[in-house]
């Protein structure tokens, strides 16, 4: 969560600074997101999510190994489960950034419509909830758990398991 929070803070500060610096361009060409968005944010998101995803992949693999201990292909299955989690997580990271860009597009359009100054537009971005602690926690927990669940379901499907019971760990019956 700390790493995600730092990433969102860096993203917020970078984008707000770009908006302030390039406001004359942005206000006359609102569809030019290159003026305020860096293509490097997807790579940064992947670097932040990568270690956590690798751990989730190991957990999926360990669960499969423990449960299916008599199967000869378990090590290969565990490796594929880990790869699956990483692949799904990369896609989810790009989706997180796409959500951020869409929210920023709306903020920028509103700032232009309201005739805000560069500083006022930057302040709106800094205050936007898309960069807050709650979102960082939600991404760290919910989005990564979704990647885990999808990878686990696909991995179990390779063993022809057709039904699973989701247990969230909070006093669910076995």
């Amino acid at each position: 969560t700390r790493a995600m929070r730092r990433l969102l803070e860096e993203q917020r500060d970078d984008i707000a600074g770009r908006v302030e610096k390039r406001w004359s361009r942005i206000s006359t060409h609102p569809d030019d997101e290159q003026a305020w968005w860096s293509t490097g944010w997807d790579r940064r998101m992947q670097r932040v999510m990568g270690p956590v995803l690798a751990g989730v992949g190991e957990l999926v693999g360990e669960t499969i190994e423990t449960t299916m201990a008599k199967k000869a292909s378990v090590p290969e299955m565990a490796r594929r489960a880990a790869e699956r989690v990483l692949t799904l997580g990369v896609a989810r990271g790009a989706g997180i950034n796409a959500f951020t860009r869409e929210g920023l597009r709306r903020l920028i359009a509103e700032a232009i419509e309201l005739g805000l100054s560069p500083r006022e537009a930057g302040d709106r971005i800094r205050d936007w909830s898309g960069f807050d602690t709650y979102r960082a926690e939600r991404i760290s927990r919910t989005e990564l758990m979704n990647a885990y669940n999808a990878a686990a379901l696909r991995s179990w499907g390779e063993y022809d398991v057709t039904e699973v019971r989701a247990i969230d760990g909070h006093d669910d019956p076995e």
Side-chain angles (χ1 to χ4, degrees):
T1 302
R2 277 192 299 260
M4 184 60 65
R5 196 169 36 235
R6 274 194 307 274
L7 174 70
L8 293 181
E9 289 169 357
E10 289 171 18
Q11 205 174 44
R12 175 199 65 207
D13 295 342
D14 177 66
I15 293 166
R18 287 170 183 251
V19 165
E20 290 172 352
K21 183 188 277 186
R22 300 170 181 167
W23 186 243
S24 62
R25 168 79 181 157
I26 293 166
S27 61
T28 57
H29 298 85
D31 293 331
D32 180 12
E33 80 175 32
Q34 291 180 0
W36 51 269
W37 183 264
S38 169
T39 58
W41 287 117
D42 283 349
R43 286 188 307 279
R44 299 276 307 275
M45 183 67 73
Q46 290 169 13
R47 282 198 307 266
V48 166
M49 292 175 69
V52 177
L53 291 169
V56 168
E58 288 176 20
L59 183 59
V60 170
E62 288 171 8
T63 301
I64 291 168
E65 286 178 12
T66 301
T67 307
M68 305 299 285
K70 296 178 184 175
K71 298 283 184 181
S73 63
V74 167
E76 177 64 17
M77 180 66 72
R79 184 190 60 74
R80 286 197 311 262
E83 288 175 359
R84 211 173 270 117
V85 170
L86 289 171
T87 301
L88 291 167
V90 167
R92 294 188 75 77
I96 291 164
N97 278 334
F99 175 85
T100 302
R101 281 195 313 276
E102 184 55 37
L104 289 167
R105 279 188 209 102
R106 285 192 303 271
L107 279 175
I108 289 169
E110 290 170 8
I112 292 168
E113 186 177 315
L114 294 170
L116 299 183
S117 71
R119 179 66 183 182
E120 291 169 325
D123 286 345
R124 273 187 165 230
I125 289 168
R126 285 183 193 89
D127 293 339
W128 182 50
S129 64
F131 297 118
D132 67 11
T133 300
Y134 172 75
R135 181 156 185 249
E137 289 175 7
R138 191 183 77 206
I139 290 167
S140 297
R141 292 182 182 150
T142 307
E143 297 296 334
L144 296 176
M145 186 53 69
N146 287 340
Y148 170 88
N149 289 339
L153 289 172
R154 289 183 186 170
S155 296
W156 287 114
E158 289 187 32
Y159 278 116
D160 297 323
V161 173
T162 58
E163 294 182 30
V164 296
R165 180 178 301 177
I167 298 174
D168 67 9
H170 297 289
D171 300 321
D172 287 339
E174 296 258 339

